[in-house]
Every structure is written in C-alpha cells, then in structure tokens.
Amino acid sequence: MAQRRLSEVAKKVGVSEATVSRVLNGKPGVSESTRQAVLTALDVLGYERPTQLRGERARLVGLVLPELQNPIFPALADVVGSALAQQGFTPVLCTCTGGVSEPDYVELLLAQQVSGVVFAGGSHAEDDANHEHHYELVRRKLPVVLVNASIDLDYPVVSCDDAVAVEQAFGHLVALGHERIGMVLGPRDHIPSRRKLAAFRACADRVGLTVDEHTIGHTMFSVEGGQAVGTRLVQNGITGLICASDPLALGVIRAVRRLGMNTPEDVSVIGYDDSALMTCTDPPLTTVRQPIEAMGRAAVELLAALIAGNEVSMEELLFEPELVVRASAAPARTKTAVR
C-alpha cells in the first residue's frame, strides 16, 4: 500500500503506520479490536482490502438521523462514524428525507444483518409517532442506543440535560434584566421540548413570570417555524426568547428584523445546540452547546458493549450543556411590568 494510504488509515484509526502495516500483512502483535478498526477504515476510505482479507465481512451499524439540514446532525454523524470505525464497525448512514421513512430504513438495516443501530433525534423522541419498528427491534433483541430523550423503550439513552439548558438560558436573560421572556419549542409531542417547557415553567415560577400562549409557542424545527412563532411572540411584547434549536433561533432573528427591530437591541435571542457556523451569523448567536463529542462517543461505547454481549445500564445518561455567550443577547432596553 502506498505511504499516503498507510498514513490516512493510521490517522483515521488513531494508530501508527507500523500497526496498519502489521494488520495488512497479517502479522501478530495487534489486538482484535485494532485489527477490525483498521479493516473498517479501509472500507470507509474506499481502499481495497488485501486479497487475503477480502473474505471478511465488515461489521455494520446503522446510524439513523431525521435530516441533515440542521448542522447538529452532520456533526453528530461525524463523531459517531469515527467512533464506530475505531471500534471496528462500518457506519451505515440513514437520513429520513426524500420519502424514505425510519421504518423503511429499519427494514433495510435488518436485511443487511447489521450488528446494531444508533437512533438520534428521530421518532423515538416523538410521543405520537409510529413506534412499531422500535418494538420490532426490541423483540429481535438487536443492540440499539438512542440519542435524545425517548419514549419508554428498553434501550440505553444518551441525552443532553434539557432542564439545565433552559435554566442556563433563562438565568442569563434574567441577569440581563429581561422580564418578558418567552420560548420557541418543537412539536407538542416532542419529548425534549416537553422537558424544556417543564423547566421553563419552573424557572418562570421562581421569578414570578407568567407562562401562557402569549409567551410560548410550538412549531416545526426549521428557520421558517422559528420565524412564524417568533413573529407572534415579539408582537406580544416578549424581549428575550429561548429557542429549542439554533435554526429556530435564526428564524426568530429574521422575524425581529421583518418587524423593523434589531437583535439584540430590541429582542435578545438564545439558541440551542451550538451547531456549525453560529459564530458567523449576524449577530453571532448566543446559544446552549450540546456536548456532541462526549454524547456520540458514549453512545458508541454503549452499543459496542451491547454487541459484545455485556450488560449496560438502562438509566438515561444526562450530559451537561454549556451556555456560550456571543452577541445575540443583551441587557433589556427598558423594564416592563411583569404579567
């Protein structure tokens, strides 16, 4: 193999070029997990395996995502895909757009005899969605790990702590003097949004603010959804808005401008995720960062343990978010009466 290819594979797996060479030449002194990781990296990078190794089928793991337009999902796919390759698995990316549904992908993955599946931000987080394909996987005892709060399924769950995220954002707006604080959430059956709403109500109660249809809104996770709800809430006099995703926050900022106002001078906006390019928005977005790297690697570690036949905890792992202060939230211009 050319030196460049050796270097690429070694970098992908996180081992030395000498270790890659030993694997490709069938020499001893390499652990089985490292050997599998090197072979998987060959597949992922598009290189042919040496002739004597082509009979070994790579282990496949499905990674099912709702979409790739929200930058947080490609970021998660990158982390999970790399972690799977290092464990000796080949990731199979399934994006539920273009008419292909989650149940369709599950049927395809089962036909491919995958070793396991990671679901992130999909229908497992939607209470009213069809969950028959999830129950089928439970019946088949296929190793599965879920990323984001879920309906009650007998699988490990890795989540960002929604309550802490709202507390951080709410506390920041209160510290800036805002007394008219609202929230833009995802659909009503979206479990992480329900958790955020419960936390928002608790925060509002502590400082004596009212939570009603004038201060909160549910919508689809998109810039357009954020703009629609943001327009209504800003017209209701809200001066500080917490959003359940960065695209929603960008939609709110657009709504503020369409109403002839500015962010943050007239309306402060805080997002959620800290997805790519949020430092490049106008203004740079203050947001709550999900620890995607840690969450993705934890999900893969849990899945690898399940595939190996080991017992893992079914208690939800909650990861701490971090408020990232940039320029979309500022002190309230004037104080208004509390509703």
Side-chain angles (χ1 to χ4, degrees), residues 20-200:
V20 175
S21 180
R22 283 197 293 271
V23 172
L24 300 181
N25 291 300
K27 293 184 178 180
V30 181
S31 68
E32 178 60 22
S33 62
T34 299
R35 192 178 73 89
Q36 288 291 342
V38 169
L39 295 177
T40 299
L42 285 173
D43 297 332
V44 171
L45 293 172
Y47 296 136
E48 288 190 4
R49 298 187 181 196
T51 304
Q52 70 272 20
L53 300 177
R54 289 179 191 169
E56 298 186 18
R57 181 179 178 184
R59 296 183 296 173
L60 303 177
V61 168
L63 172 57
V64 183
L65 303 175
E67 43 114 347
L68 293 177
Q69 290 184 329
N70 185 337
I72 200 67
F73 290 118
L76 180 64
D78 183 52
V79 172
V80 171
S82 296
L84 285 170
Q86 290 176 354
Q87 293 274 2
F89 296 102
T90 300
V92 180
L93 180 61
C94 304
T95 307
C96 300
T97 53
V100 183
S101 67
E102 239 184 51
D104 293 333
Y105 275 126
V106 167
E107 185 177 346
L108 172 65
L109 293 171
L110 289 174
Q112 294 295 317
Q113 298 181 325
V114 294
S115 299
V117 183
V118 176
F119 290 95
S123 63
H124 66 273
E126 300 169 359
D127 200 26
D128 296 340
N130 171 27
H131 299 293
E132 181 53 37
H133 58 293
H134 293 129
Y135 298 134
E136 176 62 22
L137 293 176
V138 172
R139 288 190 289 267
R140 289 180 179 239
K141 301 186 184 302
L142 188 75
V144 170
V145 174
L146 309 174
V147 179
N148 265 351
S150 172
I151 63 167
D152 188 15
L153 292 168
D154 193 22
Y155 285 128
V157 181
V158 175
S159 302
C160 187
D161 195 322
D162 294 297
V164 172
V166 171
E167 289 166 3
Q168 291 175 346
F170 194 97
H172 185 57
L173 291 175
V174 169
L176 291 172
H178 291 272
E179 297 179 345
R180 295 283 294 149
I181 301 173
M183 187 155 199
V184 182
L185 297 155
R188 294 180 185 277
D189 72 325
H190 184 243
I191 295 172
S193 289
R194 288 180 177 177
R195 290 183 175 184
K196 289 182 175 71
L197 177 56
F200 182 77

Side-chain angles (χ1 to χ4, degrees), residues 283-302:
L285 187 67
T286 293
T287 186
V288 180
R289 176 182 296 156
Q290 290 199 68
I292 291 300
E293 180 80 22
M295 291 169 61
R297 293 197 170 275
V300 171
E301 288 177 10
L302 287 167

Side-chain angles (χ1 to χ4, degrees), residues 219-234:
T219 186
M220 60 191 294
F221 281 105
S222 67
V223 172
E224 293 75 17
Q227 181 181 351
V229 172
T231 298
R232 175 172 61 83
L233 296 181
V234 171

Side-chain angles (χ1 to χ4, degrees), residues 205-240:
D205 285 346
R206 284 196 290 270
V207 296
L209 299 185
T210 299
V211 178
D212 56 23
E213 70 276 8
H214 300 292
T215 57
I216 62 170
H218 293 272
T219 186
M220 60 191 294
F221 281 105
S222 67
V223 172
E224 293 75 17
Q227 181 181 351
V229 172
T231 298
R232 175 172 61 83
L233 296 181
V234 171
Q235 288 176 330
N236 289 339
I238 298 298
T239 66

